Amino acid sequence: YKTLTVVDPPRGADGAGGMEYPTLITAGTEWWAPRRVLSPESVIVHEFGHQYWYGLVANNEFEEAWLDEGINAYSQSLVLETVYGPSHLYERFFSIPVSGQRWLEIKLPTAPFRGIGPIPLGTYGQYIPQSEWQRRWSRYIANADLDVMRHSAWEYLTADSYRTNSYDKPALLLRTLENYLGRDLMARVMRTYFQRYRYRHPTTQDFIDTVNEITGLDLDWYFDQLLSTGGVVDYAVSDLTSEPVEDQRGVYDRQGQRVTVQEADEAEAGGLYRSMITIRRLGSVVLPVRMEILFANGERVQEHWDGRNRWRQFHYINPSRVVSAEIFSATLDPAGPSHPLFLDVDFTNNSRRLEPDHLPALRWTAKFMFWIQNLLHQFSAFS
Ligand SMILES: [Zn+2]
């Protein structure tokens, strides 16, 4: 295209914002957008992406919404992450994180301020960075199991579920695939899909066939589960123990010597620890995962699990205790970088430590006490 027109609708016309047409897109500048919230950058990058996904690669955005908005949302997040870094939707109010966009507002009278939203004062405080993938994840978990993703746009249970299943979940599905394949292989997949299907009408099956052809793998199991079941991904490190190896009481023959082991003779075992880690699949979706185990002497061990059974146990006898275990996305290349399993609906159970870390609780208690103290000082003014 020789030209691209970007229209930023005037105030009061925001219903026309965020829409895509060939060579014409509409933006949507928000009044009082907080400093580091990517508005209107995010929506412009998104609508520009549609020049490719449906514009050139003419997928059916009504009947296969995930293929249209999903691939576009994935592209959008990659561009935003590369160009701008993390967005900032959460900010701190006196060190407590608060959802950034709409709190502590001053409402303006309709005349003459029609179309100008309330002024959010609090958003000009401290900000907390939030990556594109965290942002998408927080919207995905709200409707993770409400619908099967592969549906026509009008067939989802709610408008929120349409949004999750057409934008955020497919973006996370593709990002998880990228983490598995590696960025270069994923880029080859996307380039081939684009070059092969521009000026044509690809379907979901065409996309899956392209993935399988370029990777040389059969990844039907991945798409079948995530596109055609409403299943949930949830892995957990459910148990972690690490105990000194103790000799059993008794009389032993050790190098020709008669040795009697009493209860107090723990040290006899030579300072070894027996560790056990249980990892469980709580959701119905089966994905391979990687687990990283950290020992007290700094040694790191990596384990892979296909996730087919509901659980698996790992046992170690090592001169050092296990300190922690954490679950990540599996990678085709065993030396590939570790990424969080973005499709997991519960991150709180994805890792476990042998000893609880009390520092965060102390930090929050200290903050809480500080504000209680201030509040009591305020009250004392009335005494
Ligand atoms: Zn869109």
Side-chain angles (χ1 to χ4, degrees), residues 18 20 46-47 50 68-69 72-73 76 162 167:
E20 72 275 18
H46 179 94
E47 306 312 339
H50 278 304
D68 180 64
E69 293 294 1
N72 191 36
Q76 174 201 356
Y162 156 73
Y167 295 74

Short mmCIF file of all heavy atoms in Angstrom, two decimals, residues 18 20 46-47 50 68-69 72-73 76 162 167, ligand 1:
data_model
loop_
_atom_site.label_atom_id
_atom_site.label_comp_id
_atom_site.label_asym_id
_atom_site.label_seq_id
_atom_site.Cartn_x
_atom_site.Cartn_y
_atom_site.Cartn_z
N GLY A 18 -10.08 2.19 17.52
CA GLY A 18 -9.61 0.80 17.52
C GLY A 18 -10.26 -0.05 16.45
O GLY A 18 -10.81 -1.10 16.74
N GLU A 20 -9.99 -1.55 12.18
CA GLU A 20 -9.07 -1.77 11.07
C GLU A 20 -9.80 -1.89 9.74
O GLU A 20 -10.85 -2.53 9.67
CB GLU A 20 -8.25 -3.03 11.33
CG GLU A 20 -9.00 -4.37 11.21
CD GLU A 20 -9.73 -4.80 12.48
OE1 GLU A 20 -9.96 -3.95 13.36
OE2 GLU A 20 -10.06 -5.99 12.58
N HIS A 46 -1.67 -2.62 17.14
CA HIS A 46 -2.64 -3.69 16.91
C HIS A 46 -3.35 -3.51 15.56
O HIS A 46 -3.38 -4.43 14.74
CB HIS A 46 -3.66 -3.74 18.05
CG HIS A 46 -4.70 -4.80 17.87
ND1 HIS A 46 -4.58 -6.05 18.43
CD2 HIS A 46 -5.86 -4.80 17.18
CE1 HIS A 46 -5.62 -6.78 18.08
NE2 HIS A 46 -6.42 -6.05 17.33
N GLU A 47 -3.91 -2.34 15.34
CA GLU A 47 -4.68 -2.13 14.10
C GLU A 47 -3.76 -2.17 12.88
O GLU A 47 -4.17 -2.63 11.81
CB GLU A 47 -5.46 -0.81 14.15
CG GLU A 47 -6.39 -0.62 15.36
CD GLU A 47 -7.28 -1.82 15.68
OE1 GLU A 47 -7.51 -2.65 14.79
OE2 GLU A 47 -7.74 -1.92 16.83
N HIS A 50 -3.33 -5.63 11.65
CA HIS A 50 -4.43 -6.17 10.83
C HIS A 50 -4.22 -5.93 9.34
O HIS A 50 -4.89 -6.56 8.51
CB HIS A 50 -5.77 -5.57 11.26
CG HIS A 50 -6.36 -6.25 12.45
ND1 HIS A 50 -6.61 -7.59 12.48
CD2 HIS A 50 -6.76 -5.78 13.68
CE1 HIS A 50 -7.14 -7.92 13.66
NE2 HIS A 50 -7.23 -6.84 14.40
N ASP A 68 -7.50 -14.78 13.48
CA ASP A 68 -7.37 -13.39 13.08
C ASP A 68 -6.81 -12.54 14.22
O ASP A 68 -5.66 -12.12 14.22
CB ASP A 68 -8.75 -12.87 12.65
CG ASP A 68 -8.69 -11.43 12.22
OD1 ASP A 68 -8.01 -11.15 11.22
OD2 ASP A 68 -9.31 -10.57 12.88
N GLU A 69 -7.63 -12.34 15.25
CA GLU A 69 -7.21 -11.49 16.37
C GLU A 69 -6.05 -12.14 17.14
O GLU A 69 -5.21 -11.45 17.70
CB GLU A 69 -8.39 -11.26 17.32
CG GLU A 69 -9.53 -10.42 16.73
CD GLU A 69 -9.15 -8.99 16.43
OE1 GLU A 69 -8.00 -8.58 16.66
OE2 GLU A 69 -10.03 -8.25 15.94
N ASN A 72 -2.77 -11.76 15.33
CA ASN A 72 -2.48 -10.33 15.39
C ASN A 72 -2.07 -9.90 16.80
O ASN A 72 -1.13 -9.11 16.98
CB ASN A 72 -3.70 -9.53 14.92
CG ASN A 72 -3.36 -8.08 14.71
OD1 ASN A 72 -2.25 -7.75 14.28
ND2 ASN A 72 -4.27 -7.20 15.08
N ALA A 73 -2.74 -10.43 17.82
CA ALA A 73 -2.41 -10.08 19.20
C ALA A 73 -1.00 -10.56 19.55
O ALA A 73 -0.24 -9.89 20.26
CB ALA A 73 -3.43 -10.68 20.17
N GLN A 76 1.33 -8.19 17.84
CA GLN A 76 1.28 -6.90 18.56
C GLN A 76 2.14 -6.95 19.82
O GLN A 76 2.94 -6.05 20.07
CB GLN A 76 -0.18 -6.61 18.93
CG GLN A 76 -0.39 -5.39 19.81
CD GLN A 76 -1.73 -5.45 20.55
OE1 GLN A 76 -2.53 -6.37 20.34
NE2 GLN A 76 -1.98 -4.47 21.39
N TYR A 162 -15.24 -14.10 24.54
CA TYR A 162 -14.82 -13.86 23.14
C TYR A 162 -13.44 -13.19 23.15
O TYR A 162 -12.54 -13.59 22.42
CB TYR A 162 -15.84 -12.97 22.41
CG TYR A 162 -15.25 -12.22 21.25
CD1 TYR A 162 -14.92 -12.89 20.07
CD2 TYR A 162 -14.97 -10.85 21.34
CE1 TYR A 162 -14.33 -12.21 19.01
CE2 TYR A 162 -14.38 -10.18 20.29
CZ TYR A 162 -14.06 -10.86 19.13
OH TYR A 162 -13.46 -10.18 18.08
N TYR A 167 -8.21 -13.17 21.59
CA TYR A 167 -7.01 -12.31 21.69
C TYR A 167 -5.97 -12.92 22.64
O TYR A 167 -4.88 -13.30 22.23
CB TYR A 167 -7.36 -10.92 22.23
CG TYR A 167 -8.25 -10.09 21.35
CD1 TYR A 167 -9.61 -10.37 21.23
CD2 TYR A 167 -7.74 -9.00 20.65
CE1 TYR A 167 -10.43 -9.60 20.43
CE2 TYR A 167 -8.57 -8.22 19.85
CZ TYR A 167 -9.91 -8.52 19.75
OH TYR A 167 -10.72 -7.74 18.96
ZN ZN B 1 -8.03 -6.60 16.26
#
